[in-house]
Amino acid sequence: MPLFAIIIFWKILANHIDSELVLPEPFAVFKRFFSLLSESAFRKHLFATIFRSLLAFSLSFAFSLSIGLLSCLSRGIENFFKLPLAIIKATPVVSLILLTLFWFKSNTVPVFIGILMTLPIMTTAIIQGFKNVDTELLEMCKAFNFTKKQIIKNLYIPSMLPYFFSGALSAFGLSWKVVVAAEILCLPKSAIGSVLQTAKVHIETTDVFAITMSIILISFVLETVAATLIAKRKSRYA
């Protein structure tokens, strides 16, 4: 129902403006959307961006887990990474993209930016989970002479996982958007961001809307799949 209302409002506004260059009608956008999906070249661009997004998230996942666990084990390591992570969080994405264009090839920049922007989210989530361990439960484990391995397995990991899963889901959604944004600026050969930028330069407004629609649709699909997988993992540790 909300989607139907949005389309009706879009249709009325498009008729009022009466200019496809400013706001194309919904039917024209939907028609172009399905036309683009039928093109093998467009699907190739989509899959290339999906691959970059998944690669960036996977690498960020591994780095975040390593840094987060090391930070939990040592206050010195946590303090060492605190400033770099804070700088990454405070720096505008566009600035990072433009800077990394001097250092890497256009195909590598979106992946690197995806890693940078999601790294603080998951790393912070792990550290927060560690710091929120129930101290009374910890004292009880020590009182019953639990080994360090038992304490980590039965207390620290279950405590950290909800925070980590929540951070991972947020990072996953952000990774897709950041990768697309980086592609728009650095224009890799195969990328949905490059197609979007080309349509914008050629003032093909209908194409811009249709491509944006595909980006939103893929985002929903990826985030739904990720949320389902994370929910299954959560239930194992509930």
Side-chain angles (χ1 to χ4, degrees):
M1 190 63 182
L3 180 60
F4 182 72
I6 291 171
I7 294 173
I8 292 297
F9 177 74
W10 178 1
K11 171 70 174 174
I12 293 171
L13 192 59
N15 288 339
H16 176 72
I17 294 174
D18 195 24
S19 173
E20 286 194 359
L21 286 176
V22 178
L23 183 65
E25 291 194 354
F27 178 75
V29 173
F30 289 133
K31 183 179 178 180
R32 183 56 180 152
F33 169 73
F34 289 110
S35 174
L36 285 171
L37 288 182
S38 67
E39 298 175 7
S40 59
F42 183 77
R43 292 197 300 272
K44 180 182 177 183
H45 290 299
L46 265 181
F47 290 136
T49 300
I50 291 172
F51 174 76
R52 288 192 188 95
S53 179
L54 293 176
L55 178 61
F57 177 77
S58 300
L59 292 173
S60 180
F61 185 96
F63 292 145
S64 299
L65 195 59
S66 301
I67 296 171
L69 291 176
L70 288 172
S71 298
C72 293
L73 295 173
S74 169
R75 180 61 63 86
I77 293 176
E78 181 186 353
N79 291 333
F80 177 81
F81 283 106
K82 188 175 289 184
L83 181 59
L85 292 175
I87 291 172
I88 292 171
K89 288 170 69 175
T91 307
V93 181
V94 175
S95 297
L96 288 173
I97 295 170
L98 294 176
L99 284 171
T100 51
L101 273 170
F102 293 108
W103 307 332
F104 304 114
K105 293 181 180 179
S106 59
N107 283 328
T108 308
V109 171
V111 176
F112 184 76
I113 293 298
I115 294 170
L116 275 186
M117 298 310 298
T118 54
L119 190 67
I121 297 174
M122 288 190 284
T123 303
T124 303
I126 293 173
I127 296 172
Q128 283 181 342
F130 179 84
K131 289 182 176 179
N132 281 280
V133 169
D134 192 321
T135 54
E136 292 184 0
L137 286 176
L138 182 59
E139 290 299 324
M140 186 182 71
C141 288
K142 291 178 179 179
F144 282 95
N145 296 319
F146 277 32
T147 63
K148 286 186 177 181
K149 185 178 180 181
Q150 288 175 321
I151 293 174
I152 291 171
K153 180 181 178 181
N154 298 298
L155 183 59
Y156 282 110
I157 291 179
S159 176
M160 285 190 292
L161 282 176
Y163 291 90
F164 182 65
F165 284 143
S166 177
L169 186 57
S170 299
F172 189 80
L174 178 63
S175 177
W176 169 252
K177 299 176 184 67
V178 168
V179 166
V180 173
E183 288 177 345
I184 291 173
L185 288 179
C186 63
L187 301 175
K189 186 176 180 181
S190 292
I192 196 66
S194 300
V195 178
L196 185 61
Q197 176 66 358
T198 301
K200 176 257 181 184
V201 170
H202 293 162
I203 320 179
E204 296 171 342
T205 312
T206 303
D207 278 26
V208 171
F209 270 81
I211 295 164
T212 302
M213 188 181 295
S214 70
I215 293 170
I216 294 170
L217 180 62
I218 294 296
S219 178
F220 276 132
V221 171
L222 291 177
E223 288 189 38
T224 301
V225 171
T228 302
L229 293 174
I230 287 174
K232 287 182 179 179
R233 287 287 180 181
K234 270 186 175 181
S235 63
R236 291 186 182 183
Y237 296 95

